Amino acid sequence: GDPMPRRSGILIILKARRKGHDVTHEDIAFAGIGEVCPLPMFHQETLGEAEKQVNLVLQAWARSQPWIPPTLLYLDGSMAGWLAQNCPQGENLLPSVRSGLEMALLHVLYRAVGASNIGEQAAKAHSLVCSSDIGVNSLVTRQEDLQNQSGGASVVKVKVGKSPVEDANRVNSLSEMLRSLKGNAARLRLDANQAWTVEEAATFVSSLSDTSVDMTEYLEEPVELMPDGPASFLKSWEVLAEKTGRRVCFAVDESLTDTTLSLDHLAGSQAPIAAVVLKPALQGIEQTFKFAAWSLQHGVRPVVSSAFESGVALCHFAILAGNMMPQHPSFQNQVSACHGLGTYTRLAEDVLDPPFADLIYFHSHHGWRVDVFRCQEALDRTVDALLASRSPAKAETWC
């Protein structure tokens, strides 16, 4: 697509009060932060439309402050019900607005109840566990990106979907480069964005070298949408797998995000689906967690993906991903617990304190990593600093 030199968004800061338990019974204040940042060609709503809806919600809450139940932290469906009941247009919240409100609500509640991180209660409710850190993959979208893979990432996502043979040759070159740099730790994730017919996708897969196949965790959305509905669409994945001898596994992304497919469709598919790519900025935090829990129950790896947001949203997504770990060590899947948050490298500056880039560290065997608890600390520090920078009178008007 066209270059996007600038991203704009809205930070939502919510302030809540809880009665103290000491003899004074003074209110204790907590603050949480979220981000609304619709991406053109990704979200249907514009930033102006999102801002208008955010203002309606915050103005309503300023007039009549709603009670925020701690059970919203469970991400078990109660968040959706609460938003529908307590927000103007609550049944029709724009995706970016829903996601931003959920972030801020979860953040303020986690601080109020004293949890270890935003996702701790949800993980327990869904019988999952929290990892202290997660992997982060890098993103290759342009030819020049191929020359910049010595910086640390062991898992690299590559956009394909043009000429099948040329794309395969490009991937084969990258796989040799990565293997020489990272050894057996190097992994590839390929994304066709529904660009190919079954025959074109088969040509691409058949043209991949053995090294590329060995390194490929999955091929995302390999074929174009079928006009005959979801069953026919997933059948084309099965046909592709058989045509290519099941050389690579597949991943679901926009077909689930756009509701072309449902979880029931995926459960009935015989295609080798290894991962479900989740986009909290579109699906919302609660629905993302629901999809992740379902995926793990079905032996599929959930992969959280960003959309060029600031470090505020990236921290929320990293914490969310860190709480999507299976409880049982018997979980077997070829896809690493590495998430699509590498868009931070495209940010010239960040509103997060410290910037998300400063939270990334390099592990000699696992590439880019980010610490979930440092992300939590950064969110706390950022919202507190933003509130302190405002005049007390103005800050007190925030809900």
Side-chain angles (χ1 to χ4, degrees), residues 35 97 122 143-144 178 230 233 263 283 312 325 333 354 374 380:
E35 178 177 339
V97 174
Q143 187 65 30
E144 54 265 35
L178 284 173
F233 178 57
L263 297 181
Q283 294 158 325
V312 169
M325 300 302 292
N333 186 287
R374 286 195 69 199
D380 295 348

Side-chain angles (χ1 to χ4, degrees), residues 18-149:
R18 187 191 69 188
K19 279 290 186 184
H21 297 294
D22 58 10
V23 293
T24 64
H25 296 291
E26 292 181 356
D27 287 355
I28 303 173
F30 302 91
I33 191 170
E35 178 177 339
V36 177
C37 194
L39 178 64
M41 307 299 293
F42 184 75
H43 288 87
Q44 292 187 3
E45 69 267 22
T46 65
L47 179 60
E49 291 168 339
E51 183 176 16
K52 181 178 179 181
Q53 191 172 69
V54 167
N55 286 334
L56 284 175
V57 172
L58 297 185
Q59 287 166 8
W61 290 356
R63 288 192 300 270
S64 178
Q65 297 179 6
W67 177 64
I68 308 174
T71 51
L72 299 188
L73 287 166
Y74 298 158
L75 297 179
D76 58 358
S78 56
M79 176 74 80
W82 188 91
L83 289 171
Q85 184 176 0
N86 290 279
C87 294
Q89 305 174 352
E91 296 282 359
N92 298 291
L93 289 175
L94 298 170
S96 62
V97 174
R98 176 180 296 277
S99 179
L101 290 172
E102 287 177 324
M103 291 182 214
L105 286 164
L106 292 170
H107 191 191
V108 76
L109 281 173
Y110 129 83
R111 301 185 86 180
V113 303
S116 66
N117 70 79
I118 287 173
E120 177 188 23
Q121 300 297 321
K124 290 179 179 178
H126 292 270
S127 299
L128 302 176
V129 295
C130 175
S131 174
S132 60
D133 67 350
I134 61 166
V136 175
N137 68 243
S138 67
L139 175 65
V140 170
T141 59
R142 301 164 301 181
Q143 187 65 30
E144 54 265 35
D145 293 334
L146 297 180
Q147 309 305 319
N148 298 324
Q149 291 309 314

Side-chain angles (χ1 to χ4, degrees), residues 198-199 202 206 238-246:
V198 171
E199 293 299 328
S206 300
E238 296 172 13
V239 170
L240 173 61
E242 294 306 315
K243 276 182 172 289
T244 56
R246 292 179 174 256

Side-chain angles (χ1 to χ4, degrees), residues 260-318:
T260 299
L261 299 178
S262 68
L263 297 181
D264 289 340
H265 292 133
L266 297 182
S269 175
Q270 298 302 309
I273 298 173
V276 171
V277 179
L278 303 172
K279 293 187 167 69
L282 272 177
Q283 294 158 325
I285 304 295
E286 185 169 61
Q287 189 174 45
T288 294
F289 210 87
K290 170 189 172 183
F291 287 165
W294 179 94
S295 299
L296 292 169
Q297 290 170 2
H298 290 78
V300 176
R301 176 73 70 183
V303 176
V304 176
S305 181
S306 59
F308 299 94
E309 296 90 353
S310 81
V312 169
L314 291 175
C315 277
H316 274 282
F317 298 166

Side-chain angles (χ1 to χ4, degrees), residues 42 137-141 156-163 167-168 170-171 174 188-196 201 204-205 208 216-224 233 237 248-255 257 275 277-279 303 305-306 308 340 343:
F42 184 75
N137 68 243
S138 67
L139 175 65
V140 170
T141 59
V156 178
K157 180 172 179 175
V158 185
K159 291 287 188 179
V160 295
K162 296 183 179 179
S163 165
D167 276 351
R170 186 165 58 97
V171 171
L174 177 59
L188 289 172
R189 295 174 173 181
L190 311 176
D191 186 4
N193 287 123
Q194 301 179 352
W196 287 322
F204 169 77
V205 173
L208 292 174
T216 297
E217 292 188 333
Y218 54 73
L219 171 59
E220 201 173 313
E221 297 285 346
V223 299
E224 60 192 5
F233 178 57
W237 289 31
V248 298
C249 290
F250 304 140
V252 179
D253 183 1
E254 56 261 41
S255 55
T257 304
V277 179
L278 303 172
K279 293 187 167 69
V303 176
S305 181
S306 59
F308 299 94
T343 53

